[in-house]
Amino acid sequence: MMSLQTRLLLAASLVLLSFVGLCGAGLESSFRRAALDAQQNRMRGIVYALLGAAEPNERSELELNDGDLPDPRLMQPDSGLEAAVYDETGTVLWRSPSQSGSLPLVIGPEVGKWKLERIGDSGRFALSFGLRWIVTAASRPQRYTMLVLEEPGDYEEQLGVFRRTLWLW
């Protein structure tokens, strides 16, 4: 039979281990959420920069010039960063030179709304933004969806480093 002191030590140890485990899980969850928010904010910045580089063509439609792209990775094939513009029917109007292969079918969010999701086997991030393009009061507003795709490598590496450091300590 165990002494009272041994039983108290065992109970205190179990409570302490449970507390440390729950705190670690909570910290990891909070960090994952913060890293995902940071990922989304980076991708939003790319969308805003693409919108800043967009100009109307002769039909008052949104047009992007490949020479004005905000991130050099959008010019490099297989760089892990891709972008595209869809019209209201889901037709691809423009794709970045970095885009290789097929683009996912995108059901764009409402105008002014953002949609972040993970797609494919690799878990690529896909951020889409619904917008309405109005050049002049006399022109008909056009509905578009901007899509930015990014490989999750940096995000996953950041999570892995945090997880290893957290549980090591």
Side-chain angles (χ1 to χ4, degrees):
M1 188 175 224
M2 289 192 283
S3 69
L4 181 60
Q5 183 180 9
T6 306
R7 285 183 279 169
L8 281 174
L9 182 62
L10 183 61
S13 297
L14 286 174
V15 168
L16 184 61
L17 281 174
S18 298
F19 176 75
V20 168
L22 288 173
C23 284
L27 284 172
E28 185 176 327
S29 175
S30 294
F31 185 81
R32 182 180 295 117
R33 236 183 338 269
L36 189 60
D37 286 346
Q39 177 71 34
Q40 183 173 6
N41 287 336
R42 275 193 308 274
M43 293 173 77
R44 278 184 181 196
I46 293 169
V47 169
Y48 286 135
L50 286 170
L51 285 172
E55 294 184 11
N57 63 15
E58 62 278 352
R59 295 182 310 277
S60 297
E61 297 171 335
L62 181 139
E63 187 173 273
L64 283 160
N65 181 354
D66 290 348
D68 294 334
L69 297 180
D71 191 316
R73 294 182 297 161
L74 289 171
M75 294 294 291
Q76 301 167 357
D78 298 324
S79 65
L81 181 65
E82 303 170 2
V85 177
Y86 294 83
D87 68 6
E88 59 193 338
T89 65
T91 304
V92 177
L93 299 177
W94 174 85
R95 61 179 65 207
S96 63
S98 63
Q99 203 283 317
S100 59
S102 62
L103 285 166
L105 178 63
V106 172
I107 298 171
E110 296 176 27
V111 172
K113 302 290 183 187
W114 298 91
K115 181 179 173 187
L116 179 69
E117 56 190 333
R118 308 251 343 234
I119 59 170
D121 295 335
S122 67
R124 285 192 304 176
F125 288 103
L127 179 70
S128 53
F129 177 65
L131 65 115
R132 191 164 315 280
W133 183 262
I134 302 172
V135 177
T136 64
S139 65
R140 186 176 79 79
Q142 304 284 330
R143 167 76 167 82
Y144 297 100
T145 300
M146 296 206 74
L147 173 70
V148 174
L149 299 164
E150 189 167 20
E151 293 295 328
D154 292 340
Y155 171 80
E156 297 292 342
E157 183 179 337
Q158 189 178 25
L159 283 180
V161 167
F162 179 79
R163 188 176 290 136
R164 282 189 301 275
T165 304
L166 175 67
W167 295 112
L168 178 68
W169 282 103

